[in-house]
Amino acid sequence: MTLSTGHKSRGRGQGERPQTEVILESLSEGICQLSAAGEITYLNRAAESMLGKSRDEVVGKPYWEVLYSKPLEEFSAEQPFCPINFTLTSGEISHVKSELFTGNGKREIQVEYICVPLFEANEIRGAVVSFQDIAERIEVESAFSAARDAALAAAESRGAFLANMSHEIRTPLNGILGTANLLLDSDLPEDQRKFARNLMSSAEMLRSILNEILDFSKVDAGAYVLEKHAFDIYELAEIAAEIFLPVSDQKGIGLRFDFGDQDAGPLIGDQNKIRQVLNNLLSNAI
């Protein structure tokens, strides 16, 4: 593979330039061709732009001076471990995900590059280094990592908060349920017993909702498990209506409970979810 190394070809029409060079000049990746001795034989426009070095400046110079801005005596200790040198000596492809090249004025350029050997008659005749500036990508990845860490920290804080609040909320709620039970076990007039039963039903529904909210593993997963128990749909609907009857009376709104078939028998399902649906419908309507 041989590419033009001078700028004269730029003055010619595109149709007169070698097709390979035209393709390489159009790439956004920097392309640098090396001889078997490691000298620069070609640099495309993207490489010139990234390195801030013209083709005329670098052709004929060793890659360690052009890409790392180091003289041989300074680079010699690193050369045996350099992936580019490995490709030139072994004929194997090298892929480096993050490396610092040195541009004009000792400016460091963070790049990802791949070094591919060039063969002729089964002998290594050089290599091609294709590289791209990844500084912006690294910055985006760093910002994403910081955002992810912040989100994880927020999730941990939320979990700790919910765990702490669980006890604080359930304690008074259990007191309400216990008091309602005592009232129902006492000798109450029928109208007051109905109020106590409504209080118990509302407190049980609140406990069910709080259990779901405070179970942060379900909150994080967005999962809600439907229970399967036998329940009386007539009783459920009647209690829901009774709970909202005082509110509707205060607003002067009529609320009538009418259940077509009182002998529907027990149903199997999640009565707490159905109770929530009925309460939401009544609350919105009123």
Side-chain angles (χ1 to χ4, degrees):
M1 176 179 179
T2 304
L3 297 176
S4 173
T5 59
H7 283 283
K8 292 182 179 180
S9 61
R10 292 186 179 179
R12 294 182 291 174
Q14 181 169 312
E16 300 175 12
R17 298 168 64 184
Q19 184 177 8
T20 302
E21 183 178 354
V22 172
I23 294 173
L24 294 178
E25 289 296 315
S26 67
L27 296 178
S28 60
E29 291 82 5
I31 303 295
C32 179
Q33 184 181 0
L34 311 177
S35 68
E39 295 178 345
I40 305 293
T41 60
Y42 171 79
L43 211 64
N44 72 344
R45 292 179 186 272
E48 287 182 303
S49 176
M50 279 186 269
L51 295 173
K53 302 174 182 179
S54 70
R55 194 178 305 175
D56 288 338
E57 290 180 73
V58 302
V59 167
K61 292 183 179 180
Y63 72 86
W64 51 85
E65 288 186 15
V66 176
L67 301 181
Y68 300 105
S69 294
K70 293 182 179 180
L72 181 58
E73 54 269 20
E74 184 180 343
F75 186 70
S76 57
E78 305 173 27
Q79 189 170 8
F81 309 102
C82 177
I84 296 175
N85 182 71
F86 171 76
T87 295
L88 288 171
T89 55
S90 69
E92 299 291 333
I93 295 175
S94 297
H95 183 194
V96 179
K97 292 188 176 181
S98 182
E99 176 72 283
L100 289 177
F101 284 173
T102 305
N104 191 26
K106 300 291 184 178
R107 176 176 56 90
E108 289 187 334
I109 310 162
Q110 194 161 15
V111 300
E112 177 181 358
Y113 74 85
I114 184 168
C115 187
V116 180
L118 299 175
F119 289 93
E120 186 176 322
N122 293 326
E123 291 186 12
I124 301 173
R125 294 299 186 184
V128 171
V129 180
S130 172
F131 61 95
Q132 55 183 328
D133 191 332
I134 60 171
E136 184 176 346
R137 187 179 77 192
I138 295 296
E139 185 177 347
V140 171
E141 290 175 352
S142 177
F144 174 79
S145 179
R148 181 192 58 194
D149 292 343
L152 289 174
E156 291 177 1
S157 298
R158 180 182 60 190
F161 172 77
L162 290 176
N164 291 333
M165 289 301 295
S166 173
H167 176 73
E168 301 297 330
I169 295 176
R170 286 191 177 105
T171 298
L173 181 58
N174 287 334
I176 295 173
L177 287 167
T179 303
N181 267 320
L182 291 175
L183 287 173
L184 289 173
D185 290 339
S186 63
D187 188 14
L188 291 174
E190 184 57 32
D191 58 339
Q192 294 182 15
R193 179 171 295 280
K194 182 181 296 185
F195 294 150
R197 186 179 65 171
N198 292 345
L199 176 64
M200 172 67 78
S201 177
S202 297
E204 286 178 345
M205 183 177 67
L206 180 58
R207 180 173 61 179
S208 173
I209 294 172
L210 286 174
N211 286 338
E212 290 183 349
I213 294 175
L214 295 173
D215 188 350
F216 52 87
S217 62
K218 290 183 180 179
V219 173
D220 289 338
Y224 291 91
V225 179
L226 293 176
E227 303 293 338
K228 293 183 180 180
H229 299 294
F231 67 95
D232 188 333
I233 186 63
Y234 176 83
E235 181 181 1
L236 199 68
E238 182 181 28
I239 292 174
E242 290 175 355
I243 290 174
F244 284 93
L245 189 59
V247 181
S248 65
D249 286 343
Q250 288 178 0
K251 291 191 173 186
I253 299 173
L255 176 59
R256 185 184 67 198
F257 172 66
D258 182 15
F259 199 91
D261 184 1
Q262 297 186 19
D263 298 323
L267 302 180
I268 303 297
D270 193 326
Q271 64 175 343
N272 287 322
K273 293 294 191 301
I274 296 176
R275 183 186 287 118
Q276 289 177 33
V277 171
L278 291 175
N279 286 350
N280 286 337
L281 289 172
L282 288 170
S283 176
N284 290 340
I286 294 174

